[in-house]
Amino acid sequence: MNPSQGSSVPSEHETVGAYALGILDDAEATAFEAHLAGCEWCAQQLDELAGMEPMLAALADLPGSGSTPAIGESLSARPSPRVVEKLVDEVAERQAQKRRRSMYMIAAAAALIIAGPLAAVAVNGGSDGGGQQVAATPAQQTFRTMSAKKSATDASTHVSATVAMAPKDWGTQAVLELKNVKGPLKCSLVLVAKNGQRVTMSSWSVPNWGYGIPDAKTEQSKQPLYIGGAAAFQPDEIDHFEVVTFEGKKLVQVQA
């Protein structure tokens, strides 16, 4: 039977639309090309569908485009309405996948740009207190270049923190220096804005040996933690910073 007759189009003929849009994977495309070699109807449909992706993409962005029976009648190529509906759905899904991939790539790039050069911890090459001191980490180097610093020590936990800040067009860059904290812990640096909004700037794990312990037996434990963070608030919009555990315990608070 001719594929244009009857009430439905066999699935192998519907594939012509996905092939025209270039959204088949390699295996599917190869299988369809084998079918296309012996199917005059699909060859004709492929010619008619050539160049229709922009139109279908526009239709896919329209509200309610998931069910528009009249679309087939509005296209000059006039393929079957069922085929066109399937194509619109496929284009919409393809666009959604592209948008999701773009968002993931942007987020990953931002994390690398902001955290990459900053989220580093000062460590020591030796474990017996006499090892050779390694060079300052990027986060520690950035901390040293920042002139705006605020410090505090909690009377209860005895944890000390210094937050260095620098204004940016997009908000505030910060580097935390944390001392006298023992692990194991998982912590976050939280910015509290003057409007009450709370933003987590970074998070990390504290190992058993801790950071910045003055009377520690190893140089590794004596080294402070230096870790970077960023937020969309400008420095004059910030009220204070908090170092808190994942369980919600506040270790230290630093006024901005």
Side-chain angles (χ1 to χ4, degrees), residues 3 12 17 66 111 116-118 132 137 145 150 158 184 192-193 208-209 213 240 250:
E12 63 268 21
L118 297 179
Q132 183 179 359
T137 63
T145 64
K150 296 296 180 68
H158 307 294
V192 182
N208 291 335
W209 56 83
I213 310 298
H240 66 273
K250 185 191 298 183

Side-chain angles (χ1 to χ4, degrees), residues 59-85:
L59 291 171
D61 284 335
L62 291 174
S65 61
S67 179
T68 51
I71 290 180
E73 299 180 2
S74 68
L75 299 174
S76 59
R78 298 292 180 92
S80 80
R82 181 183 173 190
V83 172
V84 176
E85 289 298 325

Side-chain angles (χ1 to χ4, degrees), residues 152-161 176 178-190 198 204-206 211 225 241-254:
T153 299
D154 188 274
S156 176
T157 66
H158 307 294
V159 174
S160 295
L176 169 70
L178 190 65
K179 298 179 180 179
N180 206 30
V181 58
K182 298 178 181 179
L185 291 172
K186 294 185 184 298
C187 306
S188 300
L189 175 63
V190 177
R198 299 173 65 88
W204 62 91
S205 294
V206 179
Y211 292 114
L225 167 71
F241 301 91
E242 296 178 3
V243 176
V244 297
T245 68
F246 279 19
E247 291 73 31
K249 179 181 179 180
K250 185 191 298 183
L251 300 180
V252 62
Q253 177 174 314
V254 180

Side-chain angles (χ1 to χ4, degrees), residues 1 35 63 96 104 123 144 148 184 219 221 223 242 256:
M1 183 178 68
H35 167 79
Y104 295 152
V123 297
R144 292 172 178 173
E219 286 296 327
S221 298
Q223 296 298 321
E242 296 178 3

Side-chain angles (χ1 to χ4, degrees), residues 96 121 132 195 218:
V121 177
Q132 183 179 359
N195 64 5
T218 66

Side-chain angles (χ1 to χ4, degrees), residues 4 6 8 10 17 28 39 45-47 51 60-61 66 73 87 89 91 98 101 108 114 123 147 152 156 204 238-239:
S4 62
S8 65
E28 291 170 334
C39 182
Q45 289 296 304
L46 187 61
D47 288 339
D61 284 335
E73 299 180 2
L87 293 179
D89 291 342
V91 173
K98 286 183 177 179
R101 285 196 298 267
I114 294 173
V123 297
S147 57
S156 176
W204 62 91
I238 303 171
D239 183 74

Side-chain angles (χ1 to χ4, degrees), residues 30-148:
T30 299
F32 175 75
E33 287 167 355
H35 167 79
L36 182 65
C39 182
E40 182 179 348
W41 185 84
C42 282
Q44 179 182 352
Q45 289 296 304
L46 187 61
D47 288 339
E48 292 177 349
L49 291 173
M52 288 179 59
E53 183 174 2
M55 180 185 296
L56 292 169
L59 291 171
D61 284 335
L62 291 174
S65 61
S67 179
T68 51
I71 290 180
E73 299 180 2
S74 68
L75 299 174
S76 59
R78 298 292 180 92
S80 80
R82 181 183 173 190
V83 172
V84 176
E85 289 298 325
K86 186 171 184 292
L87 293 179
V88 171
D89 291 342
E90 288 173 343
V91 173
E93 175 60 23
R94 188 185 185 195
Q95 290 175 326
Q97 291 174 351
K98 286 183 177 179
R99 284 191 290 266
R100 288 194 293 269
R101 285 196 298 267
S102 297
M103 290 298 294
Y104 295 152
M105 292 175 68
I106 291 170
L112 288 174
I113 291 171
I114 294 173
L118 297 179
V121 177
V123 297
N124 186 271
S127 60
D128 58 359
Q132 183 179 359
Q133 183 77 29
V134 299
T137 63
Q140 187 174 0
Q141 292 173 347
T142 303
F143 178 85
R144 292 172 178 173
T145 64
M146 292 178 166
S147 57

